Amino acid sequence: MLDVLIVGSGPAGLSAAIYAKRANLSLEIAEKIFMGTGQVAESGQVDNYLGLPGMSGYDMGEVFRGHAESFGIPFREAEICGFERTENGWRAALAGGGSIEARTVIYAAGAKHRHLGVRGEEELAGRGVSYCAVCDGAFYRGKTVAVAGGGNTALDDALYLSELCEKVFLIHRRREFRGAAATLEKLRERPNVEILTETVIEEIAGEKKVSCIRLANGRTIEVSGVFIAVGMQPETECVKDIAELDGAGYIVADETGRTSAEGFFAAGDVRTKQLRQVVTAVSDGANAAISAAEYLRKI
Ligand SMILES: Cc1cc2nc3c(=O)[nH]c(=O)nc-3n(C[C@H](O)[C@H](O)[C@H](O)COP(=O)(O)OP(=O)(O)OC[C@H]3O[C@@H](n4cnc5c(N)ncnc54)[C@H](O)[C@@H]3O)c2cc1C
């Protein structure tokens, strides 16, 4: 039986693995994607991770994975589809059949950005279509961009981008916003923000990069970037019956990674937190591994 099973080889899982290995724990990482390194691989360029400015997200993921591999950490290409409490810890069921037993679990399965599902979105992802204003906003300094969405993330993104960009269109398909009224008020006061409600984006267009969006009402707006902020989907389907989730489906856990389930830790984007970034995922992984080691010492 393993001391710790780590689910996911994104930044959180890989960082947890390095700390667990150095704490002398026996471990394995289960990752459902062949050679996967998580969402970071989808980022064209990561400019906000300390010490590695301007690196492509794909390369960063490779550097992280290579670091873990250099420690001899075993990886298994497998999707975990459920957990069962055992006398000594946890049994994780594999989607392809079989199971893995471990005294503790560090669950670092991340989250996915919801997509708009419009023409051009997939083709232009990373070439003007972004799901993260904090990550990519600086690339659009002095340019015109659109933000799609009506919740707090969309409003915060629009406010953040209005500090950098020449003009920001905030586009929401409904009449009322779900986000904070105070942020909306601030946006209404910004001269470089134009708010379009009951407006649906039908297409994101451009040759090699985004050049415009086409709206269902027939209007075309020239933009250099489109920030899609229509929510995130945490990967928590297979833990919903064993650990407490918040209203948005994230695992309730603080910085220690401890969840409502004994010996079951959460790290990275999958847990309740303010900022979902590589730096916070890496930090979570380290903390969760130390929490697991401490828990194993106690039992
Ligand atoms: C397009 C894009 C650009 C970004 N740009 C930046 C940036 O510039 N700077 C920055 O700091 N952050 C950026 N981020 C955010 C950053 O990538 C995430 O915050 C970070 O990757 C979260 O790490 P994680 O390990 O918690 O989760 P993830 O990276 O989501 O990794 C989770 C891993 O778990 C695996 N997994 C999921 N479910 C299972 C299962 N059931 N069984 C086995 N494996 C499973 C997944 O395949 C995945 O590999 C960006 C994200 C995106 C999508």
Short mmCIF file of all heavy atoms in Angstrom, two decimals, residues 43-66:
data_model
loop_
_atom_site.label_atom_id
_atom_site.label_comp_id
_atom_site.label_asym_id
_atom_site.label_seq_id
_atom_site.Cartn_x
_atom_site.Cartn_y
_atom_site.Cartn_z
N SER A 43 -1.39 27.23 -22.00
CA SER A 43 -1.06 28.66 -22.00
C SER A 43 0.06 28.93 -23.01
O SER A 43 1.11 28.30 -22.97
CB SER A 43 -0.61 29.06 -20.59
OG SER A 43 -0.18 30.38 -20.60
N GLY A 44 -0.19 29.87 -23.92
CA GLY A 44 0.82 30.20 -24.92
C GLY A 44 2.09 30.68 -24.27
O GLY A 44 3.20 30.23 -24.58
N GLN A 45 1.97 31.57 -23.32
CA GLN A 45 3.14 32.13 -22.64
C GLN A 45 2.77 32.45 -21.20
O GLN A 45 1.74 33.08 -20.95
CB GLN A 45 3.57 33.41 -23.36
CG GLN A 45 4.88 33.97 -22.84
CD GLN A 45 5.37 35.13 -23.70
OE1 GLN A 45 5.25 35.09 -24.92
NE2 GLN A 45 5.88 36.15 -23.07
N VAL A 46 3.61 32.02 -20.27
CA VAL A 46 3.37 32.34 -18.86
C VAL A 46 4.39 33.40 -18.46
O VAL A 46 5.60 33.17 -18.54
CB VAL A 46 3.53 31.08 -17.98
CG1 VAL A 46 3.31 31.42 -16.51
CG2 VAL A 46 2.55 30.00 -18.41
N ASP A 47 3.88 34.56 -18.04
CA ASP A 47 4.79 35.66 -17.74
C ASP A 47 4.80 36.03 -16.27
O ASP A 47 5.46 36.99 -15.88
CB ASP A 47 4.38 36.90 -18.56
CG ASP A 47 5.42 37.22 -19.62
OD1 ASP A 47 6.49 36.59 -19.59
OD2 ASP A 47 5.14 38.08 -20.46
N ASN A 48 4.05 35.26 -15.46
CA ASN A 48 3.93 35.69 -14.06
C ASN A 48 4.39 34.62 -13.08
O ASN A 48 4.03 34.66 -11.91
CB ASN A 48 2.48 36.11 -13.76
CG ASN A 48 1.48 35.02 -14.13
OD1 ASN A 48 1.87 33.92 -14.52
ND2 ASN A 48 0.21 35.33 -14.01
N TYR A 49 5.19 33.66 -13.55
CA TYR A 49 5.71 32.66 -12.61
C TYR A 49 7.16 33.04 -12.30
O TYR A 49 7.98 33.19 -13.22
CB TYR A 49 5.63 31.24 -13.19
CG TYR A 49 5.97 30.20 -12.15
CD1 TYR A 49 5.04 29.86 -11.16
CD2 TYR A 49 7.21 29.61 -12.13
CE1 TYR A 49 5.36 28.94 -10.19
CE2 TYR A 49 7.53 28.68 -11.15
CZ TYR A 49 6.60 28.35 -10.19
OH TYR A 49 6.92 27.43 -9.22
N LEU A 50 7.43 33.16 -11.03
CA LEU A 50 8.73 33.69 -10.59
C LEU A 50 9.91 32.90 -11.15
O LEU A 50 9.98 31.67 -11.02
CB LEU A 50 8.77 33.67 -9.06
CG LEU A 50 9.96 34.36 -8.40
CD1 LEU A 50 9.90 35.86 -8.64
CD2 LEU A 50 9.97 34.06 -6.91
N GLY A 51 10.81 33.59 -11.78
CA GLY A 51 12.07 32.97 -12.22
C GLY A 51 12.04 32.40 -13.61
O GLY A 51 13.09 32.07 -14.15
N LEU A 52 10.84 32.24 -14.21
CA LEU A 52 10.76 31.65 -15.56
C LEU A 52 9.96 32.56 -16.49
O LEU A 52 8.98 32.13 -17.11
CB LEU A 52 10.12 30.25 -15.49
CG LEU A 52 10.82 29.20 -14.66
CD1 LEU A 52 9.99 27.92 -14.59
CD2 LEU A 52 12.20 28.87 -15.21
N PRO A 53 10.33 33.84 -16.61
CA PRO A 53 9.49 34.76 -17.41
C PRO A 53 9.50 34.39 -18.89
O PRO A 53 10.52 33.96 -19.43
CB PRO A 53 10.16 36.12 -17.19
CG PRO A 53 11.57 35.80 -16.84
CD PRO A 53 11.55 34.48 -16.12
N GLY A 54 8.33 34.54 -19.51
CA GLY A 54 8.24 34.40 -20.96
C GLY A 54 8.28 32.97 -21.47
O GLY A 54 8.35 32.74 -22.68
N MET A 55 8.22 32.00 -20.57
CA MET A 55 8.28 30.61 -21.04
C MET A 55 6.90 30.17 -21.56
O MET A 55 5.87 30.60 -21.04
CB MET A 55 8.69 29.72 -19.86
CG MET A 55 9.00 28.30 -20.27
SD MET A 55 9.54 27.33 -18.86
CE MET A 55 11.30 27.42 -19.04
N SER A 56 6.89 29.34 -22.60
CA SER A 56 5.58 28.85 -23.06
C SER A 56 5.03 27.90 -21.98
O SER A 56 5.79 27.24 -21.27
CB SER A 56 5.73 28.11 -24.39
OG SER A 56 6.14 26.78 -24.17
N GLY A 57 3.70 27.87 -21.88
CA GLY A 57 3.08 27.02 -20.87
C GLY A 57 3.44 25.56 -21.08
O GLY A 57 3.66 24.82 -20.12
N TYR A 58 3.52 25.16 -22.34
CA TYR A 58 3.86 23.77 -22.64
C TYR A 58 5.26 23.44 -22.08
O TYR A 58 5.46 22.43 -21.39
CB TYR A 58 3.82 23.52 -24.15
CG TYR A 58 4.16 22.10 -24.51
CD1 TYR A 58 3.18 21.12 -24.45
CD2 TYR A 58 5.46 21.74 -24.84
CE1 TYR A 58 3.50 19.79 -24.73
CE2 TYR A 58 5.79 20.42 -25.12
CZ TYR A 58 4.80 19.45 -25.06
OH TYR A 58 5.11 18.15 -25.32
N ASP A 59 6.23 24.33 -22.37
CA ASP A 59 7.60 24.10 -21.88
C ASP A 59 7.66 24.10 -20.36
O ASP A 59 8.38 23.31 -19.76
CB ASP A 59 8.55 25.17 -22.43
CG ASP A 59 8.81 24.99 -23.92
OD1 ASP A 59 8.46 23.91 -24.45
OD2 ASP A 59 9.35 25.92 -24.55
N MET A 60 6.88 24.99 -19.77
CA MET A 60 6.87 25.05 -18.30
C MET A 60 6.38 23.72 -17.72
O MET A 60 6.97 23.18 -16.77
CB MET A 60 5.99 26.21 -17.83
CG MET A 60 6.03 26.41 -16.34
SD MET A 60 5.19 27.92 -15.85
CE MET A 60 6.49 29.11 -16.10
N GLY A 61 5.32 23.18 -18.30
CA GLY A 61 4.80 21.89 -17.85
C GLY A 61 5.86 20.80 -17.98
O GLY A 61 6.02 19.95 -17.10
N GLU A 62 6.61 20.84 -19.09
CA GLU A 62 7.66 19.83 -19.31
C GLU A 62 8.77 19.96 -18.27
O GLU A 62 9.30 18.97 -17.77
CB GLU A 62 8.26 20.01 -20.72
CG GLU A 62 7.31 19.64 -21.84
CD GLU A 62 6.90 18.18 -21.80
OE1 GLU A 62 7.75 17.32 -22.05
OE2 GLU A 62 5.72 17.91 -21.50
N VAL A 63 9.13 21.21 -17.95
CA VAL A 63 10.17 21.44 -16.93
C VAL A 63 9.69 20.90 -15.59
O VAL A 63 10.43 20.21 -14.87
CB VAL A 63 10.50 22.96 -16.83
CG1 VAL A 63 11.34 23.26 -15.59
CG2 VAL A 63 11.21 23.45 -18.08
N PHE A 64 8.43 21.17 -15.25
CA PHE A 64 7.88 20.70 -13.97
C PHE A 64 7.88 19.16 -13.94
O PHE A 64 8.29 18.54 -12.97
CB PHE A 64 6.44 21.19 -13.78
CG PHE A 64 6.30 22.68 -13.51
CD1 PHE A 64 5.05 23.28 -13.53
CD2 PHE A 64 7.40 23.46 -13.21
CE1 PHE A 64 4.90 24.63 -13.27
CE2 PHE A 64 7.26 24.83 -12.95
CZ PHE A 64 6.00 25.40 -12.98
N ARG A 65 7.40 18.55 -15.03
CA ARG A 65 7.30 17.09 -15.05
C ARG A 65 8.70 16.46 -15.01
O ARG A 65 8.94 15.48 -14.31
CB ARG A 65 6.52 16.62 -16.28
CG ARG A 65 6.21 15.14 -16.22
CD ARG A 65 5.26 14.69 -17.30
NE ARG A 65 5.30 13.25 -17.36
CZ ARG A 65 4.25 12.46 -17.19
NH1 ARG A 65 3.07 12.94 -16.96
NH2 ARG A 65 4.39 11.14 -17.25
N GLY A 66 9.63 17.08 -15.79
CA GLY A 66 11.01 16.57 -15.81
C GLY A 66 11.64 16.60 -14.42
O GLY A 66 12.38 15.69 -14.03
#
